[in-house]
């Protein structure tokens, strides 16, 4: 991919361009924002720009033709280490971080193959528990000369304070409707401009959400949940049953259920944040989008965001999905009623 093909996040790109020109890059960055908006791709493009041997070190660009660029595009360059959770596991393993002769910390301290620097991209940082996070601290405190680490997650508040304090936080907003519509057409998730715009209106600026909403079963479930959340007062039993029935009937046991819960809580957090911005006057109300939280006061919305983020953070832990759902729906109902 070329920089010219990358959609959105122009402010972040200008910031990195300026930092690279003035040689003021930090050693660790924490990228936060909704899933499916291009944070990981952005980190890869930064890495490619920094490692390309045919462009000056003070420019945010790459040639896409040198051996380094070809290897980076193929995912085989030894100076770029990408760590992410296996689809069958709930979190990144300790072996991936500190494994002898294969873990991230070991490889970062190896001499750069190209002579420039070593770069690591750690996806799924939200799934880190204390053990995984603490194993990174020494590397974050004393990174090898020239090494850069990109941590990719959804929220800074899901990270340990020790991780946040050692990272430069870069916040990413959802994609605009225009950019998401263009991306839907490029990826063949929409056949016409009208269809792309229709999906973008409800996908909250996320390609991941847009992809999921192509599933008719998930669209129907989403509609049921919105209807349940619009009830006043909130019906805890109905909301809880709707989610648990869908889990039981439509989602495979194990890791797929945890992935589904992450999506559910991310959807709720996005709706709550949108409602809060509207209530505070920071965003205009979208009359064509149904938001069940838009009439709640800002203090209540803040409490619900904190609650949902906490429950979302527990998804990776050894807690039964049914317990997480029941806890969330019960406390959500209690706070909203109060």
């Amino acid at each position: 991919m070329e920089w010219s093909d990358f959609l959105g996040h122009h402010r972040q790109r200008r910031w990195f361009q300026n930092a690279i020109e003035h040689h003021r890059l930090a050693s660790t960055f924490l990228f936060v924002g909704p899933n499916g908006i291009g944070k990981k791709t952005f980190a890869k493009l930064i890495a490619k720009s920094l490692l390309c041997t045919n462009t000056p070190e003070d420019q945010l660009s790459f040639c896409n033709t040198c051996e380094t660029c070809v290897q980076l595009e193929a995912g085989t360059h030894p100076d770029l280490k990408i760590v992410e959770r296996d689809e069958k596991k709930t979190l990144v393993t300790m072996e991936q971080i500190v494994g002898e002769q294969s873990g991230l910390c070991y490889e970062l301290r190896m001499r750069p193959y190209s002579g420039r620097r070593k770069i690591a991209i750690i996806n799924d940082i939200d799934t880190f528990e204390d053990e995984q996070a603490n194993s990174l601290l020494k590397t974050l405190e004393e990174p090898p000369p020239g090494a850069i680490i990109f941590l990719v997650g959804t929220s800074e508040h899901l990270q340990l304070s020790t991780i946040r304090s050692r990272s430069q936080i870069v916040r990413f907003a959802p994609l605009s409707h225009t950019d998401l519509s263009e991306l839907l057409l490029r990826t063949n998730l929409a056949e016409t401009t009208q269809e792309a715009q229709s999906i973008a209106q409800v996908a909250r600026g996320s390609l991941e959400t847009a992809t999921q909403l192509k599933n008719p079963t998930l669209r129907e479930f989403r509609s049921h949940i919105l209807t349940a959340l619009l009830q006043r007062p909130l019906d805890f039993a109905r909301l809880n049953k709707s989610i648990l029935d869908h889990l039981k009937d439509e989602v495979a046991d194990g890791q797929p259920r945890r992935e589904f819960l992450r999506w559910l809580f991310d959807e709720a957090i996005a709706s709550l944040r949108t409602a809060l911005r509207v209530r505070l006057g920071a965003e205009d109300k979208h009359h064509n989008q149904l938001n069940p939280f838009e009439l709640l006061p800002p203090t209540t919305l803040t409490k619900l965001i904190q609650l949902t983020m906490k429950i979302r953070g527990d998804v990776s832990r050894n807690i039964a999905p049914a317990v997480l759902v029941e806890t969330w729906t019960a406390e959500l109902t209690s706070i909203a009623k109060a």
Side-chain angles (χ1 to χ4, degrees):
M1 175 182 279
E2 299 277 0
W3 271 116
S4 57
D5 297 325
F6 186 74
L7 296 173
H9 313 308
H10 304 290
R11 179 176 59 82
Q12 290 81 356
R13 182 176 172 181
R14 287 193 298 270
W15 187 92
F16 271 96
Q17 175 65 69
N18 185 65
I20 290 172
E21 284 180 0
H22 295 87
H23 305 285
R24 293 179 179 174
L25 278 178
S27 59
T28 304
F29 293 93
L30 173 59
F31 286 1
V32 294
N35 286 325
I37 62 171
K39 302 187 301 293
K40 182 181 171 184
T41 301
F42 187 89
K44 286 182 176 180
L45 290 174
I46 294 289
K48 200 171 181 180
S49 299
L50 293 171
L51 293 174
C52 175
T53 55
N54 273 357
T55 54
E57 294 189 33
D58 61 352
Q59 290 185 14
L60 185 65
S61 62
F62 47 82
C63 69
N64 230 12
T65 57
C66 68
E67 180 184 2
T68 295
C69 285
V70 172
Q71 286 182 312
L72 288 168
E73 194 67 27
T76 58
H77 198 284
D79 288 343
L80 176 61
K81 175 75 172 179
I82 298 177
V83 176
E84 51 194 341
R85 175 181 56 80
D86 186 281
E87 290 184 358
K88 297 180 180 179
K89 297 184 182 295
T90 60
L91 40 75
V92 172
T93 66
M94 288 293 292
E95 180 70 19
Q96 289 175 277
I97 303 169
V98 293
E100 187 175 344
Q101 297 187 353
S102 64
L104 169 71
C105 296
Y106 171 84
E107 293 201 21
L108 274 180
R109 297 188 181 279
M110 298 292 289
R111 183 178 177 180
Y113 173 81
S114 65
R116 280 199 170 185
R117 61 174 82 233
K118 302 285 281 190
I119 298 177
I121 299 173
I122 306 178
N123 205 23
D124 303 307
I125 191 71
D126 289 352
T127 70
F128 273 38
E129 295 186 336
D130 290 359
E131 185 179 23
Q132 284 86 351
N134 289 332
S135 69
L136 264 181
L137 291 185
K138 182 173 176 58
T139 299
L140 298 185
E141 289 173 346
E142 302 174 7
I148 294 181
I149 301 172
F150 294 101
L151 310 174
V152 183
T154 60
S155 171
E156 61 201 84
H157 302 293
L158 292 176
Q159 321 308 326
L160 290 179
S161 59
T162 48
I163 295 290
R164 294 199 304 269
S165 65
R166 291 164 174 79
S167 307
Q168 182 154 347
I169 299 173
V170 182
R171 298 175 180 85
F172 289 77
L175 294 170
S176 68
H177 288 171
T178 300
D179 286 340
L180 183 55
S181 296
E182 173 65 24
L183 200 53
L184 288 168
L185 291 169
R186 286 187 189 179
T187 54
N188 296 319
L189 286 172
E191 295 182 0
T192 66
T193 300
Q194 184 178 2
E195 182 187 7
Q197 291 174 346
S198 177
I199 296 173
Q201 286 290 329
V202 295
R204 305 188 192 285
S206 166
L207 184 63
E208 180 177 300
T209 300
T211 303
Q212 291 164 335
L213 291 176
K214 292 284 287 182
N215 181 331
T217 302
L218 195 57
R219 283 204 309 272
E220 182 180 357
F221 166 76
R222 190 173 185 267
S223 177
H224 284 322
I225 295 303
L226 281 173
T227 301
L229 287 171
L230 284 167
Q231 297 295 313
R232 293 296 182 269
L234 278 177
D235 186 339
F236 158 72
R238 179 182 179 184
L239 180 60
N240 188 62
K241 185 177 185 303
S242 295
I243 299 173
L244 292 181
D245 284 351
H246 185 83
L247 277 176
K248 178 182 176 182
D249 299 337
E250 303 293 344
V251 186
D253 198 6
Q255 187 59 24
R257 291 193 178 180
R258 298 192 181 278
E259 289 299 326
F260 170 79
L261 287 181
R262 286 194 184 95
W263 170 82
L264 174 66
F265 296 139
D266 284 342
E267 277 281 291
I269 290 168
S271 291
L272 288 162
R273 283 176 168 164
T274 298
L276 181 59
R277 289 194 296 270
V278 170
R279 293 288 284 173
L280 294 175
E283 182 175 319
D284 293 332
K285 180 179 178 180
H286 301 286
H287 295 285
N288 59 337
Q289 294 185 26
L290 198 60
N291 191 325
F293 304 113
E294 62 186 16
L295 298 180
L296 296 175
T299 53
T300 301
L301 290 168
T302 301
K303 289 179 182 178
L304 291 176
I305 291 171
Q306 293 171 342
L307 162 69
T308 308
M309 289 180 64
K310 178 183 180 302
I311 299 293
R312 201 264 190 205
D314 289 337
V315 171
S316 300
R317 297 177 172 83
N318 192 25
I319 303 174
V323 173
L324 292 172
V325 171
E326 289 174 2
T327 301
W328 181 66
T329 54
E331 294 195 34
L332 176 76
T333 305
S334 176
I335 292 173
K337 283 182 177 179

